[in-house]
Amino acid sequence: MIDQRHRAQDMPHPSPGDRERRKGMVQLHLSVFLAGFTGLFGKLITLNEVDIVWYRMMFTTLILLVFTGIPWMGLRKVLSVAGCGTLLGIHWILFYASIKASNVSIGVVCFATVGFFTALLEPLLHHHRVSWRELVLSLITIVGIVCIFSFDARYRLGIGIGLISSVVCTLYIIKNKDISRDLRTRDVLFWQMAGGLVGVSLVIPLYLAIYPSDQPVMVIPSGTNLWLMLCHALFCTVGLYLLQIMALKRLSAFTVNLTYNLEPCYSILWAFLFLGEARELNAAFYVGIALVILSVVMTNRGRDMNKQS
């Protein structure tokens, strides 16, 4: 008993910084798990991508309004957060367009390039050096995307849209980390959704002029679409982004973005189970997704080795 007590006393206690980081990682991985359902909802909801995003933001704003009321944080901050929400809405529109132009598996794997774009854009926007280690790890993801890109010409439009979506998402996460640091999480999410709803409403006509829809737009959801939209707003928006904003206060934007490379694993699993997409994919796709997962594993391993040294 005495030896056990001594051993327990000799074990290093985690510092407050370590505890905060672990808490952030738990929040981050829960948000990634919820994000895995986003692609499935995007495929199952039969509305146009602009409808999905508009109603997703509207329902989320109403849910937050019921539970939190209208928070106030000053006009300048409200406008900054609303602009960030508009970036998020544009990312969503392009993400769903990518899925509808290809399939869930392709759309979510393109999302994995956010780590590469973060390694390039975050140093540029924050005026510090590029991390070559982060860049190399992100390039492994890019090699994986190239493998996937080459496997079927039918999906190249979806892949192209998905890559643009990833650039917009990268800008959103970097901006979100900068503006949400000293603000309450639920306040940030409310104004991102409410402000983003206004911003997306202004962007939609331009988007439709560039990329016309072959189905009716601004259709009122009903039946299955309505229930799917409500679940999508509650779990994959309110729950997901509350967790993500909390994680961003404890972790770097690169860590968050690269960990989100695991989202395709969850999304592809659901797509295999519920949509039967496994029959559409070949060996090149599986090599590509394996490289995406490898980049995340190597990042976490490298972080642990740095801590030990």
Side-chain angles (χ1 to χ4, degrees), residues 31-199:
S31 73
V32 174
F33 178 77
L34 289 174
F37 290 95
T38 303
L40 184 63
F41 277 114
K43 198 71 172 180
L44 292 175
I45 297 169
T46 57
L47 302 177
N48 179 272
E49 59 267 20
V50 298
D51 288 323
I52 296 176
V53 174
W54 198 89
Y55 283 112
R56 183 180 183 182
M57 287 189 144
M58 186 195 72
F59 286 143
T60 303
T61 301
L62 293 176
I63 290 169
L64 291 168
L65 189 62
V66 169
F67 289 102
T68 67
I70 301 177
W72 188 246
M73 59 177 70
L75 181 59
R76 183 175 294 180
K77 286 187 177 180
V78 166
L79 292 175
S80 296
V81 175
C84 194
T86 302
L87 280 176
L88 178 61
I90 294 170
H91 155 63
W92 282 345
I93 290 174
L94 295 170
F95 175 71
Y96 293 126
S98 172
I99 287 174
K100 290 181 181 295
S102 52
N103 59 33
V104 174
S105 302
I106 298 298
V108 297
V109 169
C110 287
F111 179 73
T113 58
V114 291
F116 172 74
F117 293 123
T118 303
L120 289 177
L121 294 177
E122 190 176 24
L124 182 65
L125 295 174
H126 289 163
H127 307 290
H128 61 74
R129 279 189 188 180
V130 172
S131 168
W132 291 106
R133 178 178 164 276
E134 291 181 358
L135 199 58
V136 169
L137 288 171
S138 301
L139 283 172
I140 295 174
T141 298
I142 296 300
V143 173
I145 297 298
V146 170
C147 290
I148 296 163
F149 190 95
S150 63
F151 87 88
D152 197 326
R154 291 177 300 164
Y155 299 131
R156 290 184 180 177
L157 175 62
I159 291 170
I161 297 171
L163 293 175
I164 298 171
S165 170
S166 295
V167 174
V168 178
C169 183
T170 300
L171 294 173
Y172 159 74
I173 292 185
I174 294 170
K175 177 74 172 173
N176 194 23
K177 180 174 176 62
D178 292 340
I179 66 174
S180 65
R181 187 175 290 110
D182 301 320
L183 301 173
R184 288 198 307 177
T185 302
R186 63 187 185 184
D187 296 354
V188 172
L189 186 58
F190 176 84
W191 286 112
Q192 278 189 2
M193 293 299 111
L197 181 62
V198 175

Side-chain angles (χ1 to χ4, degrees), residues 20 23-24 27-28 176 180 185-186 239-251:
E20 284 294 298
K23 189 174 181 180
Q27 292 163 342
L28 175 58
N176 194 23
S180 65
T185 302
R186 63 187 185 184
L240 189 162
Y241 283 94
L242 284 175
L243 288 165
Q244 187 188 94
I245 292 169
M246 287 188 286
L248 276 167
K249 292 181 178 181
R250 297 178 168 92
L251 305 169

